[in-house]
PDB file of all heavy atoms in Angstrom:
ATOM      1  N   GLY A 319     109.748  82.542 104.806  1.00 97.00           N
ATOM      2  CA  GLY A 319     108.680  83.394 104.280  1.00 97.00           C
ATOM      3  C   GLY A 319     109.190  84.744 103.814  1.00 97.00           C
ATOM      4  O   GLY A 319     108.786  85.248 102.766  1.00 97.00           O
ATOM      5  N   VAL A 320     110.090  85.336 104.587  1.00 93.00           N
ATOM      6  CA  VAL A 320     110.660  86.633 104.209  1.00 93.00           C
ATOM      7  C   VAL A 320     111.436  86.503 102.906  1.00 93.00           C
ATOM      8  O   VAL A 320     111.313  87.346 102.013  1.00 93.00           O
ATOM      9  CB  VAL A 320     111.555  87.188 105.348  1.00 93.00           C
ATOM     10  CG1 VAL A 320     112.345  88.389 104.885  1.00 93.00           C
ATOM     11  CG2 VAL A 320     110.711  87.522 106.559  1.00 93.00           C
ATOM     12  N   THR A 321     112.217  85.438 102.774  1.00 95.00           N
ATOM     13  CA  THR A 321     112.982  85.222 101.551  1.00 95.00           C
ATOM     14  C   THR A 321     112.060  85.006 100.362  1.00 95.00           C
ATOM     15  O   THR A 321     112.304  85.539  99.269  1.00 95.00           O
ATOM     16  CB  THR A 321     113.926  84.017 101.718  1.00 95.00           C
ATOM     17  OG1 THR A 321     114.770  84.249 102.846  1.00 95.00           O
ATOM     18  CG2 THR A 321     114.776  83.814 100.494  1.00 95.00           C
ATOM     19  N   ALA A 322     110.992  84.250 100.540  1.00 97.00           N
ATOM     20  CA  ALA A 322     110.042  84.006  99.452  1.00 97.00           C
ATOM     21  C   ALA A 322     109.388  85.305  98.990  1.00 97.00           C
ATOM     22  O   ALA A 322     109.277  85.556  97.788  1.00 97.00           O
ATOM     23  CB  ALA A 322     108.983  83.006  99.903  1.00 97.00           C
ATOM     24  N   VAL A 323     108.969  86.129  99.919  1.00 94.00           N
ATOM     25  CA  VAL A 323     108.353  87.411  99.564  1.00 94.00           C
ATOM     26  C   VAL A 323     109.364  88.320  98.877  1.00 94.00           C
ATOM     27  O   VAL A 323     109.047  88.980  97.878  1.00 94.00           O
ATOM     28  CB  VAL A 323     107.742  88.095 100.806  1.00 94.00           C
ATOM     29  CG1 VAL A 323     107.337  89.522 100.505  1.00 94.00           C
ATOM     30  CG2 VAL A 323     106.559  87.294 101.324  1.00 94.00           C
ATOM     31  N   LEU A 324     110.578  88.336  99.367  1.00 89.00           N
ATOM     32  CA  LEU A 324     111.628  89.155  98.769  1.00 89.00           C
ATOM     33  C   LEU A 324     111.877  88.754  97.319  1.00 89.00           C
ATOM     34  O   LEU A 324     111.910  89.603  96.424  1.00 89.00           O
ATOM     35  CB  LEU A 324     112.914  89.031  99.585  1.00 89.00           C
ATOM     36  CG  LEU A 324     114.113  89.825  99.094  1.00 89.00           C
ATOM     37  CD1 LEU A 324     113.835  91.321  99.243  1.00 89.00           C
ATOM     38  CD2 LEU A 324     115.350  89.435  99.860  1.00 89.00           C
ATOM     39  N   PHE A 325     112.023  87.452  97.065  1.00 95.00           N
ATOM     40  CA  PHE A 325     112.245  86.997  95.694  1.00 95.00           C
ATOM     41  C   PHE A 325     111.024  87.229  94.812  1.00 95.00           C
ATOM     42  O   PHE A 325     111.151  87.489  93.615  1.00 95.00           O
ATOM     43  CB  PHE A 325     112.668  85.536  95.670  1.00 95.00           C
ATOM     44  CG  PHE A 325     114.099  85.314  96.071  1.00 95.00           C
ATOM     45  CD1 PHE A 325     114.460  84.219  96.825  1.00 95.00           C
ATOM     46  CD2 PHE A 325     115.088  86.214  95.709  1.00 95.00           C
ATOM     47  CE1 PHE A 325     115.776  84.006  97.195  1.00 95.00           C
ATOM     48  CE2 PHE A 325     116.412  86.023  96.077  1.00 95.00           C
ATOM     49  CZ  PHE A 325     116.751  84.915  96.816  1.00 95.00           C
ATOM     50  N   PHE A 326     109.828  87.132  95.372  1.00 96.00           N
ATOM     51  CA  PHE A 326     108.618  87.416  94.610  1.00 96.00           C
ATOM     52  C   PHE A 326     108.593  88.875  94.163  1.00 96.00           C
ATOM     53  O   PHE A 326     108.292  89.182  93.006  1.00 96.00           O
ATOM     54  CB  PHE A 326     107.381  87.087  95.448  1.00 96.00           C
ATOM     55  CG  PHE A 326     106.084  87.338  94.741  1.00 96.00           C
ATOM     56  CD1 PHE A 326     105.675  86.516  93.709  1.00 96.00           C
ATOM     57  CD2 PHE A 326     105.281  88.400  95.102  1.00 96.00           C
ATOM     58  CE1 PHE A 326     104.476  86.742  93.046  1.00 96.00           C
ATOM     59  CE2 PHE A 326     104.094  88.646  94.456  1.00 96.00           C
ATOM     60  CZ  PHE A 326     103.683  87.810  93.424  1.00 96.00           C
ATOM     61  N   VAL A 327     108.943  89.784  95.072  1.00 88.00           N
ATOM     62  CA  VAL A 327     108.978  91.209  94.735  1.00 88.00           C
ATOM     63  C   VAL A 327     110.054  91.480  93.691  1.00 88.00           C
ATOM     64  O   VAL A 327     109.826  92.226  92.728  1.00 88.00           O
ATOM     65  CB  VAL A 327     109.197  92.065  96.003  1.00 88.00           C
ATOM     66  CG1 VAL A 327     109.485  93.517  95.655  1.00 88.00           C
ATOM     67  CG2 VAL A 327     107.993  91.959  96.921  1.00 88.00           C
ATOM     68  N   PHE A 328     111.234  90.870  93.843  1.00 90.00           N
ATOM     69  CA  PHE A 328     112.281  91.028  92.838  1.00 90.00           C
ATOM     70  C   PHE A 328     111.814  90.507  91.480  1.00 90.00           C
ATOM     71  O   PHE A 328     112.092  91.103  90.442  1.00 90.00           O
ATOM     72  CB  PHE A 328     113.557  90.300  93.252  1.00 90.00           C
ATOM     73  CG  PHE A 328     114.357  90.993  94.308  1.00 90.00           C
ATOM     74  CD1 PHE A 328     115.225  90.281  95.107  1.00 90.00           C
ATOM     75  CD2 PHE A 328     114.253  92.361  94.528  1.00 90.00           C
ATOM     76  CE1 PHE A 328     115.976  90.903  96.088  1.00 90.00           C
ATOM     77  CE2 PHE A 328     114.996  92.996  95.501  1.00 90.00           C
ATOM     78  CZ  PHE A 328     115.865  92.256  96.281  1.00 90.00           C
ATOM     79  N   GLY A 329     111.120  89.386  91.489  1.00 94.00           N
ATOM     80  CA  GLY A 329     110.596  88.823  90.240  1.00 94.00           C
ATOM     81  C   GLY A 329     109.579  89.735  89.588  1.00 94.00           C
ATOM     82  O   GLY A 329     109.593  89.912  88.360  1.00 94.00           O
ATOM     83  N   LEU A 330     108.688  90.309  90.378  1.00 94.00           N
ATOM     84  CA  LEU A 330     107.716  91.256  89.827  1.00 94.00           C
ATOM     85  C   LEU A 330     108.406  92.473  89.228  1.00 94.00           C
ATOM     86  O   LEU A 330     108.021  92.959  88.155  1.00 94.00           O
ATOM     87  CB  LEU A 330     106.724  91.703  90.900  1.00 94.00           C
ATOM     88  CG  LEU A 330     105.675  90.695  91.329  1.00 94.00           C
ATOM     89  CD1 LEU A 330     104.826  91.278  92.460  1.00 94.00           C
ATOM     90  CD2 LEU A 330     104.804  90.285  90.170  1.00 94.00           C
ATOM     91  N   ASN A 331     109.426  92.962  89.913  1.00 90.00           N
ATOM     92  CA  ASN A 331     110.174  94.107  89.420  1.00 90.00           C
ATOM     93  C   ASN A 331     110.866  93.762  88.101  1.00 90.00           C
ATOM     94  O   ASN A 331     110.824  94.543  87.151  1.00 90.00           O
ATOM     95  CB  ASN A 331     111.199  94.551  90.464  1.00 90.00           C
ATOM     96  CG  ASN A 331     111.872  95.847  90.101  1.00 90.00           C
ATOM     97  OD1 ASN A 331     111.324  96.654  89.369  1.00 90.00           O
ATOM     98  ND2 ASN A 331     113.063  96.055  90.628  1.00 90.00           N
ATOM     99  N   LEU A 332     111.479  92.612  88.035  1.00 93.00           N
ATOM    100  CA  LEU A 332     112.167  92.169  86.824  1.00 93.00           C
ATOM    101  C   LEU A 332     111.173  91.986  85.685  1.00 93.00           C
ATOM    102  O   LEU A 332     111.435  92.405  84.544  1.00 93.00           O
ATOM    103  CB  LEU A 332     112.924  90.889  87.088  1.00 93.00           C
ATOM    104  CG  LEU A 332     113.782  90.334  85.959  1.00 93.00           C
ATOM    105  CD1 LEU A 332     114.876  91.333  85.598  1.00 93.00           C
ATOM    106  CD2 LEU A 332     114.394  89.016  86.376  1.00 93.00           C
ATOM    107  N   ALA A 333     110.024  91.365  85.956  1.00 96.00           N
ATOM    108  CA  ALA A 333     109.016  91.182  84.936  1.00 96.00           C
ATOM    109  C   ALA A 333     108.465  92.526  84.441  1.00 96.00           C
ATOM    110  O   ALA A 333     108.265  92.724  83.242  1.00 96.00           O
ATOM    111  CB  ALA A 333     107.872  90.317  85.472  1.00 96.00           C
ATOM    112  N   GLY A 334     108.241  93.446  85.357  1.00 93.00           N
ATOM    113  CA  GLY A 334     107.752  94.765  84.969  1.00 93.00           C
ATOM    114  C   GLY A 334     108.752  95.504  84.099  1.00 93.00           C
ATOM    115  O   GLY A 334     108.366  96.144  83.117  1.00 93.00           O
TER     116      GLY A 334
END
Side-chain angles (χ1 to χ4, degrees):
V320 170
T321 303
V323 169
L324 180 67
F325 284 142
F326 180 72
V327 170
F328 284 157
L330 287 177
N331 188 25
L332 184 62

